[in-house]
Amino acid sequence: MQNDHHKIALGVNIDHIALLREARRINNPELLQAVGVVAQNGADQITIHLREDRRHIQDEDVRRIITSSPLPINLECSIDPQMVEIALQMQPHRVTLVPEKREEVTTEGGLDVINSSALVSDAIEQLKSNHIEVSLFIDPDEHQVEHSCALEAQMIELHTGRYANIYAMLNSALAYSHHSIDELDLPRDELQVALKESLDDLTRSAKHASLLGLRVAAGHGLNYHNVSAMCAIDDIFELNIGQSIIARSIYTGLATAVEDMRKLVVR
Ligand code: PXP
C-alpha cells in the first residue's frame, strides 16, 4: 500500500452489505461481487469485521474474500483469544484489533490498550509471528498511542467517531437521538470549540504516532461531508469508510458511491 504524502489510501468496509444479506440469510447481495466493484472503482483495501455475534460477516465470507480479493484484506476482530485464533487461521494481510460489546450498534470508542495490555500483547505477538500486520483501533489519546508503540504494533487506526458526531450535530438538521456523547447538550459555539478540539486530538495523535514509527490510519463515521478534514492531516495515510458508502450505493450504485468517495479521499 502506498505511503507517500500525496496519496491517501481508501479502505472500504463492506460489513453493511453483509448486514443486508443477513436480513434474509440468502446469498444476495453477493459479497464477492461487491469486492470486485469496490476494487474496480478506486479502493485500495477491503475491510471486514468478523463480530463475535456474527451479525453481518460470517467465517465463510472471510475465507472466500481473502482467497479471491484482488485487494489486501484488513480483518477487524476483538482481542478475544478465540477470535484471534480464527484470524490466525484465515491469514488476512492485516488484523485490526477493535473493542467489542455485543449490545453496541457499532464500535463505540477505541480499544483501551492500556487496560487490556496482556491480551493485546499476546494477540500482537501471535499475529506478527504469523506474518500478519497488526493495527490497533484506538482513541486519539497520547497514552494509548504510546502504549500501542510499546506493545510493538505496526499501525494504529484512530477512532474518528467523536469528530464525526460533533460534525453531524453542527451541520445537519437531523437530531442525534441514539448517540450517547458528552457534547449532546452543548450550544452551537461550544460545539464549534469541541469540533476544533476533536480535530486537534486527531492531528496531534497522528503526528505523535508517526514520530514513534507507527503507521496511522483513521476511521469511523466518516462520510462525503466530513472526510476532507481527515485528508488534510498529513500523518494519516489511510481512511477506512463503510456505512456512508454503502448507504449512498442504494441510490447511486456501489461503483459510483466508491468512485465519489475516491475523488474526495485525496490531498
Ligand atoms: N474502522 C474501524 C476500526 C471500524 O470498526 C469501522 C466500523 O466497523 C470502520 C472503520 C468504518 O466505520 P463506518 O462504517 O462508520 O464508516
Side-chain angles (χ1 to χ4, degrees):
M1 190 158 304
Q2 301 229 18
N3 194 13
D4 63 55
H5 274 214
H6 303 294
K7 179 145 197 295
I8 175 159
L10 172 64
V12 175
N13 181 318
I14 59 169
D15 294 348
H16 287 84
I17 300 179
L19 199 60
L20 182 57
R21 180 198 59 191
E22 289 305 299
R24 286 292 163 89
R25 304 237 161 93
I26 53 174
N27 206 8
N28 182 26
E30 162 59 68
L31 289 187
L32 289 184
Q33 205 175 341
V35 168
V37 173
V38 168
Q40 277 164 15
N41 287 281
D44 300 291
Q45 167 175 274
I46 302 287
T47 294
I48 45 180
H49 185 175
L50 185 66
R51 290 191 70 106
E52 289 172 14
D53 65 7
R54 306 297 198 272
R55 71 176 67 159
H56 38 53
I57 298 289
Q58 307 297 312
D59 300 52
E60 191 53 27
D61 296 326
V62 180
R63 223 183 312 274
R64 289 193 313 139
I65 291 170
I66 289 173
T67 315
S68 355
S69 170
L71 296 179
I73 301 302
N74 172 29
L75 175 65
E76 297 175 7
C77 72
S78 77
I79 54 173
D80 181 297
Q82 283 181 355
M83 296 307 297
V84 174
E85 183 54 41
I86 294 172
L88 285 167
Q89 287 166 17
M90 300 284 186
Q91 286 285 311
H93 297 79
R94 184 196 303 161
V95 165
T96 299
L97 296 172
V98 301
E100 206 173 295
K101 288 194 266 349
R102 293 205 180 203
E103 64 278 14
E104 71 193 358
V105 178
T106 181
T107 316
E108 290 164 8
L111 181 65
D112 184 343
V113 295
I114 299 170
N115 274 325
S116 39
S117 198
L119 275 178
V120 178
S121 170
D122 283 352
I124 292 176
E125 199 186 310
Q126 289 185 69
L127 291 162
K128 278 172 65 179
S129 60
N130 279 271
H131 311 291
I132 301 171
E133 182 180 42
V134 187
S135 178
L136 304 177
F137 187 45
I138 57 171
D139 284 329
D141 169 274
E142 68 179 308
H143 301 294
Q144 297 292 335
V145 169
E146 274 168 18
H147 207 71
S148 299
C149 178
L151 289 171
E152 298 184 9
Q154 288 130 318
M155 270 189 71
I156 56 164
E157 178 168 337
L158 294 173
H159 197 302
T160 53
R162 179 164 178 266
Y163 159 72
N165 281 338
I166 299 171
Y167 188 99
M169 286 191 282
L170 269 167
N171 294 290
S172 108
L174 299 176
Y176 239 63
S177 54
H178 60 277
H179 282 284
S180 54
I181 67 166
D182 300 342
E183 289 79 9
L184 206 56
D185 296 323
L186 291 183
R188 249 193 113 66
D189 55 340
E190 288 180 40
L191 273 180
Q192 291 283 8
V193 174
L195 186 72
K196 167 94 173 50
E197 275 170 12
S198 69
L199 276 171
D200 288 348
D201 287 344
L202 287 162
T203 308
R204 209 176 322 108
S205 298
K207 167 119 267 138
H208 194 55
S210 205
L211 289 172
L212 290 172
L214 291 161
R215 296 198 306 145
V216 185
H220 207 281
L222 299 180
N223 61 37
Y224 298 83
H225 305 287
N226 66 19
V227 75
S228 65
M230 293 301 105
C231 302
I233 301 177
D234 274 349
D235 294 290
I236 293 178
F237 88 99
E238 172 191 294
L239 298 176
N240 285 300
I241 308 179
Q243 203 269 348
S244 63
I245 295 176
I246 308 309
R248 178 178 287 218
S249 77
I250 291 173
Y251 308 108
T252 66
L254 185 57
T256 306
V258 174
E259 200 186 340
D260 287 351
M261 187 58 85
R262 177 75 269 179
K263 286 182 196 146
L264 297 175
V265 176
V266 287
R267 56 165 68 101

